[in-house]
Amino acid sequence: KEASFDSTGDTLQRASSLRQELISNPLIKNYQEISGKVSTLDSLLSQAEKSGNKSLGTLDQAIITTFNKITDPNSVVRESEYARTPEGGSLISRFEGNVQKLQEGGAGLTPELRRQLVSDAKAIADGIGQNYNSILSSYEQTAGRYQVDPIDVLGPLKKHSPFSGSQQSATVPSKGSAP
């Protein structure tokens, strides 16, 4: 049941209070950071794929560091974490990466491993995005119960749309088509 409130000042106070609570939520902050880092990884991957056979040492370093910050946003990426990231690829990929590393320097990421790191980062962001969307929905409903326009609470925050496509809704078959 909705509460009954009187003045415009009370409404603004409730909206402000809910908004402060929402933007202070660690899961909201975490999602915003990770979402930005995934966009950064997309840009870095695109740049790496455009660079041809040029040395990719600094791009690889940025990809590894950004990926590791996604997996543990509050940590400093240490040398051991940096070194361990390329080891997550297949044996062939690691061999190719080590050959590249010897020839050109850098971290020795193969194109396949770069794409895999970005794909994995998107999957992580999609999982966190589900929680983020639940929180936004909860605040949207709470705003309604407090007779506050949800836009005054959510502000510019938008629902998460999947990066990886793994959470796309099932399609409904059209009339006359096989299920």
Side-chain angles (χ1 to χ4, degrees):
K1 187 174 179 178
E2 290 185 7
S4 178
F5 299 101
D6 299 333
S7 75
T8 302
D10 288 343
T11 301
L12 292 175
Q13 178 66 30
R14 289 189 305 278
S16 177
S17 177
L18 286 171
R19 181 159 175 70
Q20 286 304 315
E21 184 180 305
L22 174 64
I23 62 176
S24 297
N25 186 312
L27 291 171
I28 298 297
K29 290 178 179 181
N30 189 29
Y31 170 77
Q32 290 174 318
E33 280 186 40
I34 288 175
S35 179
K37 284 179 176 38
V38 168
S39 295
T40 298
L41 279 175
D42 263 340
S43 296
L44 292 168
L45 178 62
S46 177
Q47 186 64 35
E49 289 177 342
K50 288 178 190 174
S51 69
N53 291 331
K54 294 180 190 174
S55 176
L56 299 173
T58 56
L59 281 172
D60 284 350
Q61 181 178 4
I63 288 171
I64 290 170
T65 301
T66 304
F67 177 80
N68 284 331
K69 291 297 283 182
I70 287 172
T71 60
D72 191 358
N74 298 318
S75 78
V76 173
V77 178
R78 306 214 183 278
E79 185 177 345
S80 60
E81 293 168 314
Y82 179 87
R84 196 171 44 245
T85 301
E87 293 173 4
S90 68
L91 182 60
I92 296 289
S93 181
R94 287 194 326 244
F95 176 75
E96 291 170 351
N98 283 330
V99 169
Q100 177 185 345
K101 189 175 179 178
L102 289 171
Q103 290 174 337
E104 302 171 11
L109 296 182
T110 62
E112 172 189 304
L113 187 51
R114 282 184 205 100
R115 286 189 292 274
Q116 185 63 50
L117 288 171
V118 173
S119 176
D120 290 350
K122 289 178 178 182
I124 291 167
D126 286 345
I128 293 168
Q130 289 179 340
N131 292 334
Y132 171 85
N133 283 349
S134 294
I135 292 168
L136 290 186
S137 293
S138 174
Y139 275 85
E140 192 171 26
Q141 292 169 2
T142 300
R145 285 194 306 274
Y146 279 70
Q147 299 177 350
V148 173
D149 187 343
I151 209 84
D152 292 335
V153 175
L154 302 179
L157 299 177
K158 303 291 181 220
K159 295 275 184 164
H160 167 74
S161 296
F163 286 108
S164 65
S166 62
Q167 300 171 9
Q168 293 177 348
S169 59
T171 57
V172 178
S174 61
K175 190 174 184 178
S177 67

